[in-house]
Amino acid sequence: MWQAEARVDLDAIRENVSRLRAGTSAELMAVVKADGYGHGMIPSARAALDAGADWLGVCTLDEALALRAAGIEAPVLAWLLAPGLPLHTGVAAGVDLGVASLPQLDEMVESARRAERPARLHLKIDTGLARGGATVADWPALLDAAAKAQADGLVEVVGVWSHFVYADMPGHPTTDRQLAVFHEGLAMVERAGLRPRYRHLANSAATLTRPDTHFDLVRPGLAVYGLSPVVGETYGLRPAMTARARVTLTKRVPAGSGVSYGHTYTTERETNLAVVPLGYADGVPRHASNAGPVQLGGRRRIISGRVCMDQFVLDCGDDPVAAGDVATLFGSGADGEPTADDWAEAVGTINYEIVTRFGSLRVPRVYDGELT
Ligand SMILES: Cc1ncc(COP(=O)(O)O)c(C=O)c1O
């Protein structure tokens, strides 16, 4: 018997990847960082590859090495790398590395020497996000240094890439401006004598809404898990995760009972309370206090009072709820349960954060669909 679980439908991941694949002639990198946005990195990666993903994208070297340790041989790009990491282990494992500065390039050259094989690099240009990537001013120097390292046989420039600011707001002018800067950056790549096989820019939103940004490779993350980056649209995607728990205790309390820490909720009449064993240590945002929607006993209810570390309470009125009943926080919505989008709206965040939070160790992940 179980207490709480994050159920992940791997067939939904497969369907979503097939759908994304059908919408582009580019190759597809399924982004599986952050433990597959909370869905479990390895099973999600395998499901995505089953459905035709060509690449996997992660942030950290450790994430990339974990994919290799699981026996996954598909191309992997890791792009968030602090100085001093053992990059040679990534190079030796055939992990592609994102690079945005001369010091990073130097480290990659060093790691190539140590691994005794060329480092496979994707040069990143900052087209406007002002986060990762070389500025346009620093781009030519990075290109020249990379071209020289490639001529010396120490690196292979496999890709050139960037990341969008506003693709989740279709029609936002920043997207066109970034695309123009990317094209300028590509012209400079050519002038530097580099001919990378992959130019890539599109996240989920751009994969779904801007075919002119697909180039040679698209990098969807959120959409792989069936969630839409654009509020109010679903694009036919199917959410893969359901978060639910079994009620541990019910009790009848009188009108005027304060509920949970700080008594921020008071019962209006005599009522049935149900205790649900999920709290902020499991990924339920504390901001969901008196706000988060939960389906229990065939009805949607709102969390009553504060979300605690391990549990929260639902006021169920006269409904006959019992210990052991299943409370669903979010799922695909197919059975009337709230979705991660509903949760995002209720607590003032984005659906990305809702599912990623449930990647905690205490909530076991249970997989539906074939585990490959
Ligand atoms: C560089 C990069 N590419 C692609 C993605 C995937 O983005 P999304 O989940 O919006 O598809 C991310 C995620 O944040 C990212 O950081």
Side-chain angles (χ1 to χ4, degrees):
M1 211 23 113
W2 56 283
Q3 173 148 319
E5 64 181 19
R7 262 200 122 77
V8 175
D9 184 345
L10 295 171
D11 290 336
I13 291 180
R14 291 186 182 96
E15 271 173 44
N16 297 327
V17 169
S18 300
R19 183 173 283 271
L20 293 162
R21 257 237 139 289
T24 185
S25 52
E27 291 188 22
L28 187 142
M29 175 187 292
V31 178
V32 296
K33 64 189 169 115
D35 211 1
Y37 289 43
H39 295 68
M41 181 172 71
I42 303 295
S44 301
R46 291 211 171 102
L49 292 169
D50 289 343
D54 309 278
W55 287 74
L56 298 169
V58 293
C59 269
T60 68
L61 179 63
D62 284 347
E63 289 173 320
L65 294 175
L67 288 168
R68 289 288 184 255
I72 293 174
E73 289 172 0
V76 172
L77 173 61
W79 59 66
L80 197 61
L81 305 164
L85 295 175
L87 292 180
H88 61 282
T89 57
V91 174
V95 172
D96 289 26
L97 303 170
V99 51
S101 72
L102 290 173
Q104 282 183 337
L105 180 64
D106 286 345
E107 281 205 46
M108 287 166 197
V109 164
E110 238 353 273
S111 58
R113 287 206 176 93
R114 192 153 167 205
E116 297 181 351
R117 68 188 261 191
R120 290 169 51 90
L121 304 185
H122 294 238
L123 308 180
K124 187 171 193 185
I125 179 169
D126 178 3
T127 52
L129 185 60
R131 197 181 68 178
T135 62
V136 173
D138 292 340
W139 188 236
L142 181 63
L143 294 177
D144 286 346
K148 181 173 177 310
Q150 180 162 275
D152 292 344
L154 291 164
V155 308
E156 184 187 345
V157 178
V158 176
V160 172
W161 65 305
S162 190
H163 194 45
F164 278 126
V165 176
Y166 260 125
D168 54 338
M169 296 185 74
H172 197 285
T174 302
T175 301
D176 287 330
R177 278 205 293 277
Q178 284 191 269
L179 184 57
V181 175
F182 194 61
H183 277 293
E184 275 171 40
L186 290 173
M188 293 186 222
V189 169
E190 193 143 318
R191 286 201 290 279
L194 292 165
R195 301 284 179 275
R197 163 77 183 78
Y198 294 97
R199 301 159 298 165
H200 50 108
L201 183 56
N203 56 3
S204 292
T207 302
L208 291 162
T209 66
R210 290 291 300 252
D212 57 331
T213 66
H214 289 188
F215 294 94
D216 310 304
L217 177 65
V218 293
R219 299 191 312 267
L222 189 72
V224 165
Y225 309 99
L227 298 173
S228 168
V230 179
V231 174
E233 300 283 348
T234 67
Y235 302 106
L237 299 164
R238 189 149 73 84
M241 185 190 287
T242 300
R244 52 188 208 156
R246 291 174 62 239
V247 169
T248 55
L249 181 72
T250 60
K251 64 180 79 173
R252 189 82 180 157
V253 298
S257 301
V259 174
S260 191
Y261 290 129
H263 281 181
T264 61
Y265 179 86
T266 304
T267 57
E268 279 178 9
R269 57 185 73 84
E270 188 179 297
T271 191
N272 293 328
L273 297 182
V275 178
V276 179
L278 280 171
Y280 58 79
D282 304 298
V284 182
R286 194 164 175 276
H287 274 104
S289 301
N290 290 308
V294 178
Q295 170 128 321
L296 174 62
R299 287 188 43 191
R300 274 203 203 188
R301 310 165 195 283
I302 300 295
I303 291 175
S304 303
R306 294 246 168 91
V307 172
C308 312
M309 186 183 289
D310 318 293
Q311 50 198 307
F312 62 79
V313 179
L314 294 173
D315 180 346
C316 301
D318 291 329
D319 294 347
V321 290
D325 287 356
V326 174
T328 303
L329 281 70
F330 60 86
S332 72
D335 296 321
E337 74 277 24
T339 61
D341 292 339
D342 294 328
W343 269 75
E345 197 186 335
V347 308
T349 184
I350 51 175
N351 49 10
Y352 293 75
E353 187 181 350
I354 297 297
V355 287
T356 305
R357 278 169 165 272
F358 275 85
S360 96
L361 290 178
R362 196 165 64 172
V363 183
R365 272 194 218 96
V366 179
Y367 291 97
D368 291 318
E370 198 192 345
L371 203 56
T372 48

